């Protein structure tokens, strides 16, 4: 975790921390005026020219209330006359205060982005630390004392700390050599988890056994922060296993846990398009694994089988040929990222896995081949395939190049419509693209699941989703509004955005509305084909689906409109699921908590657009919202 003190150590920024250097920070925001403080300032270092601070008490209060990391005064020296007053105000609000020798223009041009780069570099360093920790773990038959000494020296070197490992028999490892003398008073009271040494260092005590007969003491110059605490905790686990004497079995387990954490980090980096950091992370665990331009993604739904058992069998079968992780969002899923290689194809091994766990009805879904930076798209395809796998006799479904609504929309019209809808987000001065990308993923996987998949805090995802929906004038709680936004995001992702100027050319064609986009022959032909499996059913499933979709996918409301029992509506939808090979009700089962559902809207999206495009005259269309207006179709 990047802190203000870390920023102060970067000479390029010219920052001096006056107070509160341990506060976490993830970006820098430039304040152009006292009235320009936005709502999204959590964990942000706000940089302002002292001339902007006409009402410092109000400004610092607003920054503290918004969770800002701190306030930095640009182009300011330690003798600035405003510092005394600001220091008192900052103390009153509990807000860290810094000064920067660099002017505001420098921050606007490149220093703000440098803060983000520092955070990324810090994450990479922590991954590298974990990789180096793996190198210290013992091979079978390695002497325990030698392992303890190596781990102790590693921790002391990584944290620039004094480290002692002691047992009832005394100190068994220390680094540097004088650490036992310096930390002797701390070792007298091992039950105190945090103590201050005679040299003013901060000592952390970590027990290495359940009965307290072994202890790790780590003393650093600074208060223990998240990276130090995390590395010390991982090292303590390795020491605990080593001292317990179960060298082979327990060391293998520790290595396995650490490697799985590294693999999960690499997968989350791939899901956010950070392919180079993912490759670097994996290089220390599986060299060359991600050295590929393309990859497929498979998802194993363990269903009635224990995921740990399926995972263990899959690891034995696939070894280091794929990047395999336990899905952090869906507890029964195993995700397999398979880099494309002429001599490696995991499909046969994955099929055998289904045979091994046939009684558990394990399912397998797979994607098409995608570029390595398109793993998120491949993951979505694999997830979309799972419902079809559930209807397949062999419990396997692979994505095919079937035509979706985005494929039949006129590219120019779709680009113009999507750009107009998403313009308020795309033209945000900062963070608009990131907010849209996060929202598009949250629409697909729901907020909690998306947060776990990409490794971002749920509150951050929820804030970005709320910001995006409010900006475009849609309601995130309405399923069909989420469908509209997802298609708009897909259109921009495929065709790019046309933001143009503030005013449109007088000779330019008008921006098409959603009705004009959908009610054209190519889209209508696609819609007819998509709904054709339902046409022959004597129960008039289409009529039920039209009412259900028109009512925002609410069964009770649809039943009231149709004059039939809710049970009948559900039966019709279940029958439609079989014919369309899609899970429809599962995607909207949690109407009261839409952000907690563990199903995607990928099945609802084509249905809603197909029904809209084929609605007979005089029949209400599904209320696909237009944004920025109250018209609901």
């Amino acid at each position: 975790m990047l802190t203000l003190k870390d920023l102060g150590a970067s000479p390029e920024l010219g920052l001096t921390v006056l107070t509160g250097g341990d506060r976490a920070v993830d970006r820098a925001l430039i304040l152009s005026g006292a009235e320009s403080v936005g709502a999204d300032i959590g964990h942000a270092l706000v940089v302002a020219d002292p001339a902007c601070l006409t009402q410092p008490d109000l400004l610092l209060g607003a920054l503290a209330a918004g969770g800002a990391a701190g306030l930095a005064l640009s182009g300011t020296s330690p003798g600035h006359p405003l510092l005394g007053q600001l220091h008192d105000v900052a103390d009153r609000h509990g807000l860290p205060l810094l000064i920067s020798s660099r002017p505001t223009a420098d921050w606007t041009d490149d220093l703000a982005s440098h803060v983000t780069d520092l955070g990324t570099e810090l994450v990479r360093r922590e991954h590298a630390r974990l990789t180096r920790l793996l190198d210290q773990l013992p091979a079978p038959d390695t002497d325990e004392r030698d392992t303890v000494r190596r781990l102790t020296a590693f921790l002391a070197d990584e944290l620039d700390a004094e480290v002692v490992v002691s047992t009832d028999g005394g100190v068994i490892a220390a680094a540097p050599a004088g650490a036992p003398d310096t930390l002797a008073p701390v070792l007298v009271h091992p039950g105190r988890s945090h103590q201050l040494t005679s040299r003013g260092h901060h000592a952390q005590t970590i027990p290495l056994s359940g009965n307290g007969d072994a202890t790790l003491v780590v003393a650093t110059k600074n208060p223990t922060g998240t990276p130090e605490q995390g590395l010390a905790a991982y090292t303590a686990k390795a020491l605990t296993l080593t001292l317990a004497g179960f060298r082979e079995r327990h060391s293998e387990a520790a290595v396995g846990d650490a490697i799985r954490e590294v693999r999960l980090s690499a997968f989350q980096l791939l899901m956010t398009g950070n392919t180079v950091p993912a490759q670097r992370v994996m290089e220390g665990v599986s060299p060359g694994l991600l050295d590929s331009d393309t990859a497929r993604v498979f998802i194993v739904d363990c269903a009635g089988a224990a995921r740990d058992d399926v995972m263990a069998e899959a690891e034995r079968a696939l070894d280091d040929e794929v990047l395999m992780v336990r899905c952090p969002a869906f507890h029964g899923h195993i995700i397999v990222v398979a880099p494309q290689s002429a001599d490696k194809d995991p499909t046969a091994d994955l099929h055998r896995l289904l045979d091994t766990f046939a009684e558990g009805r394990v399912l397998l879904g797979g994607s098409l081949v995608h570029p390595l930076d398109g793993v998120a798209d491949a993951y979505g395809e694999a997830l979309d395939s799972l419902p079809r796998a559930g209807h397949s006799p062999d419990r396997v479904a692979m994505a095919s190049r079937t035509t979706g609504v985005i494929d039949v929309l006129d590219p120019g019209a779709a680009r113009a419509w999507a750009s107009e809808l998403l313009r308020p987000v795309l033209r945000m001065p900062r963070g608009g693209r990131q907010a849209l990308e996060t929202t598009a993923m949250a629409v697909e996987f729901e907020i909690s699941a998306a947060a776990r998949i990409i490794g971002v805090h749920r509150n951050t995802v929820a804030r970005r989703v709320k910001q995006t929906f409010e900006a475009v004038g849609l309601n995130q709680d309405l399923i069909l509004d989420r469908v509209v936004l997802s298609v708009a995001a897909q259109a921009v992702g495929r065709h790019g955005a046309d933001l143009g100027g503030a005013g449109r050319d007088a000779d330019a064609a008008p921006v098409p509305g959603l009705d004009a986009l959908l009610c054209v022959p190519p889209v209508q032909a696609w819609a007819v084909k998509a709904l054709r499996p339902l046409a022959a059913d004597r129960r008039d499933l289409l009529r039920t689906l039209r009412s259900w979709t028109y009512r925002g996918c609410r069964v009770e409301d649809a039943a009231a409109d149709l004059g039939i029992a809710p049970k009948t509506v559900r039966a019709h939808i279940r029958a439609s699921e079989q014919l369309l090979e899609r899970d429809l009700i599962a995607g909207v089962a949690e109407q009261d908590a839409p952000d907690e559902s563990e199903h995607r809207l990928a099945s609802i999206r084509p249905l809603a657009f197909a029904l809209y495009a084929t609605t007979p005259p005089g029949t209400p269309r599904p209320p696909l919202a237009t944004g920025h207006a109250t018209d609901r179709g």
Side-chain angles (χ1 to χ4, degrees):
M1 178 182 295
L2 191 66
T3 66
L4 295 176
K5 182 177 179 183
D6 296 324
L7 297 186
S10 176
E12 296 91 342
L13 302 177
L15 283 169
T16 300
V17 181
L18 301 182
T19 178
D22 294 311
R23 186 75 66 88
V25 58
D26 59 18
R27 66 196 186 285
L29 299 177
I30 313 305
L31 184 65
S32 58
E35 303 301 325
S36 62
V37 177
D40 187 16
I41 59 174
H43 293 299
L45 172 65
V46 178
V47 182
D49 190 293
C52 295
L53 308 184
T54 56
Q55 295 179 299
D57 203 315
L58 291 177
L59 174 62
L60 270 67
L63 295 180
L71 172 65
L73 302 181
S74 58
T76 304
S77 63
H80 195 283
L82 189 61
L83 284 183
Q85 176 191 359
L86 280 179
H87 202 289
D88 293 340
V89 176
D91 281 345
R92 186 162 63 253
H93 290 289
L95 183 75
L97 186 63
L98 305 89
I99 57 174
S100 173
S101 59
R102 304 291 294 272
T104 304
D106 287 357
W107 282 92
T108 302
D109 291 341
D110 59 5
L111 295 184
S113 61
H114 186 59
V115 172
T116 302
D117 294 340
L118 286 174
T120 302
E121 183 59 31
L122 184 62
V123 170
R124 291 173 180 169
R125 287 202 303 269
E126 293 311 312
H127 284 308
R129 276 181 169 178
L130 289 176
T131 300
R132 290 194 293 274
L133 172 59
L134 292 175
D135 294 337
Q136 312 303 316
L137 296 177
D141 301 321
T142 300
D143 178 75
E144 296 97 325
R145 282 186 174 270
D146 181 60
T147 300
V148 171
R149 285 191 290 268
R150 285 192 293 109
L151 287 169
T152 302
F154 160 79
L155 192 59
D157 182 62
E158 288 290 332
L159 303 185
D160 189 21
E162 294 177 298
V163 181
V164 169
V165 177
S166 67
T167 65
D168 287 345
V171 173
I172 62 172
D181 294 332
T182 306
L183 299 180
V186 177
L187 295 172
V188 173
H189 303 287
R192 300 176 184 174
S193 59
H194 291 86
Q195 301 180 55
L196 200 64
T197 71
S198 58
R199 298 173 59 185
H201 291 184
H202 298 265
Q204 178 187 7
T205 302
I206 305 174
L208 299 178
S209 64
N211 56 14
D213 62 351
T215 303
L216 168 67
V217 179
V218 183
T220 57
K221 298 176 183 177
N222 306 308
T224 303
T226 300
E228 290 78 9
Q229 190 174 17
L231 186 63
Y234 278 121
T235 307
K237 289 180 181 180
L239 286 166
T240 299
L241 295 171
T242 303
L243 292 174
F246 300 109
R247 297 186 300 273
E248 188 169 350
R249 179 166 59 90
H250 285 262
S251 294
E252 286 178 357
V255 170
D257 288 343
I259 289 176
R260 280 188 282 272
E261 288 294 325
V262 171
R263 285 176 172 164
L264 179 58
S265 296
F267 169 72
Q268 290 173 331
L269 287 167
L270 288 175
M271 284 292 288
T272 53
N274 293 293
T275 57
V276 173
Q279 289 168 331
R280 290 174 178 169
V281 167
M282 285 303 298
E283 194 62 25
V285 176
S286 297
L289 176 64
L290 296 182
D291 291 349
S292 174
D293 295 329
T294 57
R296 295 179 68 188
V297 172
F298 300 89
I299 298 178
V300 180
D301 184 345
C302 298
R307 183 166 70 167
D308 286 348
D309 293 342
V310 179
M311 185 75 175
E313 184 65 28
E315 287 177 335
R316 281 193 291 271
L318 295 170
D319 198 20
D320 290 330
E321 296 181 5
V322 298
L323 171 60
M324 184 161 41
V325 299
R326 292 172 173 83
C327 179
F330 307 129
H331 301 305
H333 290 184
I334 295 170
I335 303 168
V336 179
V337 179
Q340 291 296 281
S341 172
D343 58 345
K344 295 178 182 178
D345 184 358
T347 308
D349 286 324
L350 290 171
H351 280 222
R352 282 192 289 272
L353 194 67
L354 268 59
D355 294 335
T356 302
F357 295 94
E359 291 186 3
R361 301 291 299 172
V362 173
L363 306 177
L364 176 65
S367 76
L368 299 169
V369 177
H370 284 260
L372 196 60
D373 60 3
V375 163
D377 292 333
Y379 173 83
E381 286 183 356
L383 198 59
D384 287 346
S385 299
L386 283 179
R388 291 191 290 110
H391 298 299
S392 172
D394 61 359
R395 307 189 308 283
V396 175
M398 297 292 136
S400 59
R401 298 193 184 279
T402 55
T403 303
V405 64
I406 194 67
D407 300 305
V408 294
L409 295 178
D410 177 81
R415 182 171 183 255
W417 166 76
S419 299
E420 182 66 21
L421 175 65
L422 301 176
R423 187 180 302 273
V425 180
L426 296 172
R427 299 193 72 173
M428 287 179 180
R430 283 187 180 83
R433 289 278 182 178
Q434 183 184 50
L436 179 59
E437 290 170 1
T438 301
T439 301
M441 187 168 288
V443 165
E444 293 296 313
F445 308 124
E446 307 301 337
I447 288 176
S448 294
R452 294 193 293 269
I453 288 170
I454 64 176
V456 176
H457 194 281
R458 183 192 182 283
N459 291 347
T460 300
V461 176
R463 184 181 69 247
R464 292 173 184 171
V465 171
K466 182 174 185 291
Q467 178 186 29
T468 300
F469 273 90
E470 288 180 349
V472 302
L474 295 178
N475 186 342
Q476 71 183 84
D477 293 330
L478 298 179
I479 289 172
L480 296 185
D481 281 24
R482 303 207 299 273
V483 163
V484 168
L485 189 138
S486 73
V487 170
Q490 287 180 4
V492 167
R494 177 174 296 192
H495 306 302
D498 178 14
L499 299 182
R504 291 179 55 80
D505 191 319
D507 297 329
V511 175
L514 197 53
D515 187 75
L517 199 65
L518 297 177
C519 296
V520 293
V523 179
Q524 291 171 329
W526 163 82
V528 168
K529 183 178 179 180
L531 299 175
R532 188 172 295 155
L534 305 173
D537 195 284
R538 61 180 178 79
R539 290 167 290 185
D540 198 357
L541 301 180
L542 269 173
R543 177 171 176 263
T544 300
L545 288 179
R546 288 190 188 282
S547 179
W548 179 64
T549 307
Y550 178 76
R551 286 299 183 179
C553 303
R554 291 184 291 270
V555 169
E556 299 288 342
D557 291 350
D561 284 351
L562 296 169
I564 59 178
K567 182 179 179 181
T568 304
V569 173
R570 291 190 179 91
H572 285 189
I573 297 173
R574 293 297 188 195
S576 301
E577 289 180 329
Q578 294 289 331
L579 294 171
L580 297 175
E581 295 185 336
R582 292 182 177 275
D583 286 343
L584 298 175
I585 286 188
V588 293
E590 302 294 336
Q591 284 293 312
D592 294 333
D595 62 330
E596 296 300 333
S597 170
E598 289 199 346
H599 296 275
R600 301 182 65 203
L601 298 183
S603 298
I604 305 298
R605 181 170 51 236
L607 175 66
F609 279 91
L611 290 173
Y612 190 101
T614 59
T615 299
T619 304
R621 286 195 172 103
L624 299 179
T626 59
H628 311 296
T630 58
D631 180 17
R632 289 279 162 183

